[in-house]
Amino acid sequence: MNFTRWSARLPGTQRRAAARTEQTASPDRRGEGSVPAARAEQLTDEPPSVPAVDELRVREVLDRVPSLVALVHGPDHRIAYVNDAYTTAFGVRPLGERAREALPELDALGLFPLLDQVQRSGKPRTVKSRKAPDGRSYTFTCTPVAQGDGKGGSDGRGVLVFATDVTDHAEAAERLRASERGQRETAVTLQRSLLPQELEEPDDLRVAATYHPGGTEAAVGGDWYDVITLGGGRTALVIGDVMGRGVRAAAVMGQLRTAVRAYARLDLPPHEVLQLLDGLAAEIDANQIATCAYAVHDPNEGKLVYASAGHLPILVRDENGTVLRADEPTGPPLGTGGWMHSSGSIPLSPGSTAVLYTDGLVERRDADLDEGIAALERALAGATGTPQVVCDRLVRSAGVTPDHDDDVAVLVLQHPARTGPDSELFRNAALELLGGVEAAPRARAFASGVLTSWRFPADLHDLGVLATSELVANSLQHGTPPMRLRLRRTDRRLIIEVTDGDDHLPRRRRAEPGDESGRGIAIVATIASNWGCRRTPGGGKAVWCEFALPRTQGT
């Protein structure tokens, strides 16, 4: 086959040919004052100049290029030419044979449908980084060519296959992908290790949580959640999101989560916890932005008291299926400083379900954030079942998949409505203390009667009465009216709490043998499983203690 009769139909080929023809046919314009170009051989003894590219034989060029070149022609792609580089890579290929049998490497790469497409359309096509049977990776460009005599018919059509070795680039890209996968696995491992391995189980709440890392490479972020039992029947719930990706975001998240747990033990109001966290966030990394919502549930109040630092609103579904969205207050993200956070509240009555979540659940690039929250509200309105079932349903309804482009954290809590035998395990009793010398005996008699009605064993009954006496005596001596005694039992513990109008918190101190006071809190701390105190909203304090119930008293 005469190789010079084939020409590639590439953009510019016809223009270059026309330009050469015009230059050859242009008349000499010396009469117009122009100076003819000097010929090189007339002015120098140097060898003749290198011929122009257009003057080189095509086959001579293709034989020397390091890339793999093959030319096939006709409807069955018979081999018209392969260059030396192609022969070196895949061996000698007989000319005139059908490419499907003679070029098995192209068949293994799935290129024959591409050859058919290029031949039919007359347009070049490229496939990137295909691994060939020789173990090397090539980028293939298939270009339509035609015989130079202009004769039509399918026999005059061919395809030039040009393969560039990109093995080094492919291996470098794979190493980069492997490195990114390794970084992401490290970040995911760190992230999951910093999240609660098991959620704490409050007496009065059922909780469940889920976390889905972002699906893109190294895209894991700093989403976190936590459940913290505060004692006295109260529970803190936290959800947060550190902006950014990778190990750094996960590390900052871990520091913030640890700090939240430490601050929560102080049993402060939610806005004070965020105030402390705000200052710490600026110290950890002034350039890192984080949002957080911190809420506290007290079963005696029937509501969720919360504060938010730039986080998305808490949603609550009541027992009738109506969904409420927590309103303001909300402040700027953590670490901004100079902002005074404040607390708000939302009802959480028995039978209610609350959802705390991060923006990955509701934020989409093609939709407004409010639309995502509204969609979540609709999904929550119809979500029933256990907290884990509700978690899964909300994640599915939001279309979260393994390749989701953002982290998702969801925390669901339920305040169950207890009826029947279960309700017998959760009881409350309260007594207003008016002060005076009769207050302490009256409190002891009240506690004794309540504990007897709850059928506690004698030793627990006596300890409960003693703890009540000491807490009431402490309040009468150091507190101010109004005073109140509350006894509460759950399926796992007995809780005794005394509130008064003075906000000075008691502390355990060492009483000397001659001291007539100072032993009350020490006695309570010795006989109870746990004790604590906190300031109450509007002024005043609450001092409480707990007794773990014997297993026979549980569910």
Side-chain angles (χ1 to χ4, degrees), residues 9 46 55 67 79-80 145 188-189 205 266 279 298 328 339 360 386 447 453 523:
R9 292 184 178 177
E46 294 180 2
E55 298 174 5
S67 300
I79 303 176
V145 295
V188 170
T189 301
L205 296 177
L266 301 175
D298 188 332
E328 302 287 348
W339 181 269
T386 66
S453 69
I523 292 173

Side-chain angles (χ1 to χ4, degrees), residues 425-491:
L425 299 175
F426 292 81
R427 294 291 193 88
N428 284 280
L431 174 68
E432 300 296 332
L433 299 174
L434 302 178
V437 294
E438 77 284 354
R442 185 164 173 254
R444 286 194 293 270
F446 174 80
S448 178
V450 169
L451 298 181
T452 299
S453 69
W454 289 349
R455 299 178 181 177
F456 284 159
D459 57 343
L460 183 56
H461 170 279
D462 294 344
L463 291 175
V465 172
L466 176 58
T468 299
S469 178
E470 295 299 335
L471 292 181
V472 170
N474 180 80
S475 182
L476 291 172
Q477 182 176 358
H478 302 288
T480 60
M483 302 178 186
R484 192 168 193 245
L485 168 65
R486 176 186 288 133
L487 284 79
R488 174 173 172 78
R489 67 155 295 170
T490 71
D491 58 342

Side-chain angles (χ1 to χ4, degrees), residues 215-288:
T216 54
E217 296 295 331
V220 63
D223 294 19
W224 93 91
Y225 54 82
D226 210 345
V227 177
I228 309 166
T229 53
L230 302 177
R234 292 156 49 85
T235 305
L237 305 123
V238 193
I239 191 92
D241 186 0
V242 177
M243 305 305 172
R245 294 288 182 267
V247 174
R248 178 59 182 167
V252 172
M253 176 274 289
Q255 295 177 76
L256 292 177
R257 176 176 174 255
T258 301
V260 169
R261 293 192 69 87
Y263 295 148
R265 298 304 178 191
L266 301 175
D267 209 345
L268 300 171
H271 66 276
E272 292 189 24
V273 171
L274 289 191
Q275 209 72 50
L276 293 171
L277 202 61
D278 182 49
L280 179 65
E283 295 178 8
I284 293 175
D285 190 341
N287 298 318
Q288 195 80 53

Side-chain angles (χ1 to χ4, degrees), residues 422 425 456 489-493 549-555:
D422 192 32
L425 299 175
F456 284 159
R489 67 155 295 170
T490 71
D491 58 342
R492 284 176 273 180
R493 71 196 80 229
L549 300 185
R551 292 185 180 275
T552 55
Q553 291 290 134
T555 52

Side-chain angles (χ1 to χ4, degrees), residues 63-334:
D63 279 342
R64 296 182 180 182
V65 297
S67 300
L68 281 57
V69 180
L71 177 65
V72 297
H73 72 97
D76 52 358
H77 306 304
R78 294 186 179 273
I79 303 176
Y81 165 78
V82 291
N83 72 345
D84 293 342
Y86 196 105
T87 301
T88 301
F90 298 115
V92 178
R93 296 294 183 260
L95 302 183
E97 296 294 326
R98 286 165 49 93
R100 192 171 294 275
E101 289 83 18
L103 302 178
E105 58 278 0
L106 299 188
D107 192 17
L109 292 167
L111 289 183
F112 284 109
L114 186 66
L115 296 179
D116 294 335
Q117 182 183 5
V118 169
Q119 197 170 57
R120 287 193 306 268
S121 66
K123 297 179 180 180
R125 294 287 186 273
T126 298
V127 292
K128 296 182 178 180
S129 191
R130 293 277 182 90
K131 182 170 264 189
D134 66 345
R136 309 289 292 176
S137 295
Y138 300 91
T139 290
F140 289 86
T141 299
C142 299
T143 305
V145 295
Q147 281 188 307
D149 58 6
K151 294 181 180 180
S154 60
D155 289 340
R157 294 181 182 275
V159 179
L160 183 69
V161 180
F162 191 90
T164 304
D165 191 333
V166 294
T167 303
D168 292 342
H169 296 286
E171 291 178 350
E174 179 56 35
R175 287 194 296 270
L176 178 60
R177 287 192 293 270
S179 175
E180 290 175 344
R181 286 194 297 269
Q183 291 179 12
R184 182 174 185 276
E185 290 172 1
T186 300
V188 170
T189 301
L190 176 61
Q191 173 85 337
R192 292 194 182 280
S193 68
L194 294 174
L195 289 173
Q197 302 306 301
E198 292 184 6
L199 292 178
E200 294 185 21
E201 298 181 0
D203 293 2
D204 295 276
L205 296 177
R206 296 172 183 164
V207 295
T210 186
Y211 169 72
H212 295 266
T216 54
E217 296 295 331
V220 63
D223 294 19
W224 93 91
Y225 54 82
D226 210 345
V227 177
I228 309 166
T229 53
L230 302 177
R234 292 156 49 85
T235 305
L237 305 123
V238 193
I239 191 92
D241 186 0
V242 177
M243 305 305 172
R245 294 288 182 267
V247 174
R248 178 59 182 167
V252 172
M253 176 274 289
Q255 295 177 76
L256 292 177
R257 176 176 174 255
T258 301
V260 169
R261 293 192 69 87
Y263 295 148
R265 298 304 178 191
L266 301 175
D267 209 345
L268 300 171
H271 66 276
E272 292 189 24
V273 171
L274 289 191
Q275 209 72 50
L276 293 171
L277 202 61
D278 182 49
L280 179 65
E283 295 178 8
I284 293 175
D285 190 341
N287 298 318
Q288 195 80 53
I289 297 176
T291 65
C292 180
Y294 181 91
V296 174
H297 174 256
D298 188 332
N300 298 309
E301 297 178 357
K303 62 184 178 181
L304 206 59
V305 180
Y306 66 91
S308 174
H311 205 78
L312 299 172
I314 300 171
L315 302 181
V316 176
R317 176 187 185 273
D318 66 19
E319 57 183 345
N320 299 318
T322 302
V323 177
L324 303 176
R325 183 188 300 192
D327 297 323
E328 302 287 348
T330 182
L334 299 174

